């Protein structure tokens, strides 16, 4: 039995780092294990221009510990007023790696997102022409659609028409949670999907059975067990169209444990240990590296990392929380102690 596993240093293709004191508290957690992360732009106010992305990147770099080896890759928040020329120029200057589409109202800080897909057509066309990837939060926001159906309905009514209208656009279906999403990615070209750590571990029972557990509430909400199995199949299959985007999304406990709690699981600290455990349990430990370190870089057309990360077969508890000036942020509890830990 392998007791040490050394893999190419991983990347996180979907990460929330926030800003200010929260950024300072959480950035070192990602920098410890990951070489690069695609940083989400849903700040308040959102990161909508190349100049704002560049300034945010500077704030992230300033928040990192000395001697870090971590590169934040920036994304722009797409609005109906986004200027295609600004997107193209930010991309060509190397300021941004991708553009993020939030349907308005879909999740945390998404009020400035897109209501009318026709209005973003010129930006999408410019992106397709330049090869700029579009990251998509794939949920409809229509109040009449059941929250557990919102991803599947989005794929049919918004994503597929959008892709057909903009041939050649490279799309990442972020944090896929359904077999409909997995099947759609498998059946089409120019599309990949990120999968989070927590969606590989929890189903909706974890949130709701035997008491409500706000720390497991995120968006898209975890679905039923058969859907979790579909995600696990995709992640451990070796298919390069599926790769890690943790969607690690810190909120202070007081904002999670509230009558209307925020969506998000904070997984930056223990994702790699949990994933090693889950992949081994599935008999796919040798495919962990592809999922965490190779497939994403290939889809984004970037070189793989030259550094490595070593995992050791040793169960170790990760800290249950990290402290911020807004109080503690609870680290995602997978419900088991991983058999692996990262060698620090
Ligand atoms: O659970 C989530 N939290 N899903 C998202 O899409 C946003 C994120 C956040 O920013 O807190
Ligand atoms: Zn997210």
């Amino acid at each position: 039995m392998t007791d040490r596993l050394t893999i190419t240093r991983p990347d996180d293709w979907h990460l929330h780092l926030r800003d200010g004191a929260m950024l300072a508290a959480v950035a070192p957690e990602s920098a410890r294990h990951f070489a690069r992360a695609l940083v989400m732009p849903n700040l308040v106010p959102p990161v909508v221009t190349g100049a704002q992305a560049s300034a945010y990147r500077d704030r992230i770099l300033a928040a990192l510990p000395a001697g870090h080896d971590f590169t934040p890759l920036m994304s722009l928040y797409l609005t109906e007023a986004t200027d295609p020329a600004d997107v193209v120029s930010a991309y060509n200057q190397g300021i941004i790696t991708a553009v993020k589409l939030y349907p308005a109202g879909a999740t945390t800080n998404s009020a400035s997102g897109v209501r009318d897909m026709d209005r973003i057509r010129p930006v999408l066309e410019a992106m397709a022409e330049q090869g700029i990837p579009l990251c998509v939060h794939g949920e409809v926001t229509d109040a009449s659609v059941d929250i557990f159906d919102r991803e599947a309905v989005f794929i049919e009514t918004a994503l597929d028409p959008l892709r057909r209208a903009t041939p050649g656009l490279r799309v990442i279906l972020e944090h896929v949670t359904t077999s409909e999403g997995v099947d759609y990615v498998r059946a089409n070209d120019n599309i990949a999907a990120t999968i989070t750590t927590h969606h590989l571990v929890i189903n909706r029972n974890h949130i709701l059975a035997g008491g409500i557990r706000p720390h497991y509430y995120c968006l898209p909400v975890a679905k039923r067990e058969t859907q979790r199995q579909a995600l696990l199949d995709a992640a451990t299959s070796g298919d390069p169209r599926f790769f890690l985007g943790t969607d690690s999304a810190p909120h202070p406990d007081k904002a999670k444990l509230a009558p209307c709690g925020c969506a998000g699981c904070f997984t930056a600290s223990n994702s790699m240990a949990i994933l090693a455990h889950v992949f081994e349990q599935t008999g796919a430990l040798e495919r962990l590296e592809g999922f965490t370190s190779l497939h994403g870089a290939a889809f984004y057309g970037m070189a793989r990392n030259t550094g490595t990360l070593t995992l050791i077969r040793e169960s170790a508890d990760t800290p249950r929380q990290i402290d911020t000036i807004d109080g503690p942020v609870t680290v995602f509890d997978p419900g088991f102690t991983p058999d692996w830990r990262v060698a620090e």
Side-chain angles (χ1 to χ4, degrees):
M1 207 156 52
T2 330
D3 288 325
R4 278 177 83 84
L5 178 66
T6 296
I7 60 173
T8 303
R9 201 165 175 81
D11 296 316
D12 183 349
W13 293 100
H14 185 129
L15 175 66
H16 297 271
L17 283 178
R18 315 300 191 204
D19 214 342
M22 182 63 93
L23 166 64
V26 301
E29 298 298 299
S30 289
R32 192 168 295 141
H33 298 165
F34 295 94
R36 298 174 288 203
L38 183 66
V39 181
M40 290 298 119
N42 63 333
L43 305 181
V44 194
V47 179
V48 294
T49 65
Q52 289 167 345
S54 174
Y56 183 32
R57 180 170 63 184
D58 289 345
R59 296 198 297 280
I60 296 168
L61 291 170
L64 289 166
H68 72 84
D69 180 18
F70 177 77
T71 306
L73 304 172
M74 309 311 291
S75 63
L76 277 190
Y77 189 117
L78 184 54
T79 75
E80 292 179 8
T82 297
D83 173 8
D86 183 54
V87 172
V88 170
S89 138
Y91 184 77
N92 288 336
Q93 288 176 71
I95 297 169
I96 62 158
T97 297
V99 172
K100 177 73 186 267
L101 166 61
Y102 288 102
T107 187
T108 313
N109 306 337
S110 62
S112 330
V114 175
R115 285 186 171 76
D116 178 356
M117 297 287 177
D118 285 339
R119 302 187 78 152
I120 56 168
R121 189 136 300 154
V123 188
L124 299 183
E125 273 157 20
M127 288 171 60
E129 210 177 281
Q130 300 283 323
I132 306 173
L134 178 73
C135 298
V136 178
H137 182 111
E139 288 190 289
V140 290
T141 53
D142 183 343
S144 68
V145 178
D146 189 279
I147 192 163
F148 292 101
D149 297 333
R150 287 181 181 189
E151 182 173 293
V153 172
F154 180 88
I155 290 166
E156 202 182 309
T157 63
L159 182 60
D160 192 55
L162 177 152
R163 288 185 56 260
R164 285 177 194 279
T166 325
L169 181 66
R170 292 171 71 68
V171 173
I172 301 98
L173 177 59
E174 297 290 338
H175 40 53
V176 65
T177 59
T178 58
S179 56
E180 287 89 341
V182 166
D183 291 346
Y184 185 78
V185 169
R186 285 186 175 137
N188 288 281
D189 292 329
N190 285 333
I191 182 160
T194 54
I195 301 179
T196 76
T197 310
H198 50 282
H199 287 116
L200 292 176
V201 174
I202 60 166
N203 61 39
R204 61 199 203 180
N205 282 6
H206 291 82
I207 314 169
L208 295 169
I212 188 159
R213 291 184 173 74
H215 289 303
Y216 290 142
Y217 172 63
C218 67
L219 288 170
V221 70
K223 310 293 191 294
R224 56 174 68 242
E225 175 60 10
T226 48
Q227 302 284 30
R228 185 186 75 89
Q229 288 293 340
L231 304 181
L232 205 50
D233 272 4
T236 60
S237 65
D239 185 333
R241 289 170 295 189
F242 299 98
F243 46 87
L244 177 63
T246 65
D247 199 13
S248 180
H251 292 278
D253 281 0
K254 63 182 183 216
K256 293 281 299 171
L257 308 175
C260 182
C262 294
C265 297
F266 180 67
T267 56
S269 312
N270 54 359
S271 268
M272 289 309 298
I274 293 170
L275 291 169
H277 181 102
V278 167
F279 272 64
E280 183 172 57
Q281 294 286 309
T282 318
L285 192 56
E286 77 284 0
R287 295 189 178 149
L288 178 69
E289 182 182 40
F291 181 70
T292 62
S293 315
L294 308 180
H295 301 164
F299 190 80
Y300 276 92
M302 298 176 74
R304 60 174 68 171
N305 299 311
T306 49
T308 58
L309 183 88
T310 296
L311 290 137
I312 299 174
R313 182 193 298 287
E314 208 170 82
S315 41
D317 287 316
T318 24
R320 286 169 179 273
Q321 60 186 46
I322 59 162
D323 294 318
T324 76
I325 55 167
D326 292 322
V329 170
T330 292
V331 176
F332 176 70
D333 175 3
F336 53 81
T337 303
D339 288 341
W340 293 84
R341 71 171 178 84
V342 175
E344 305 281 353

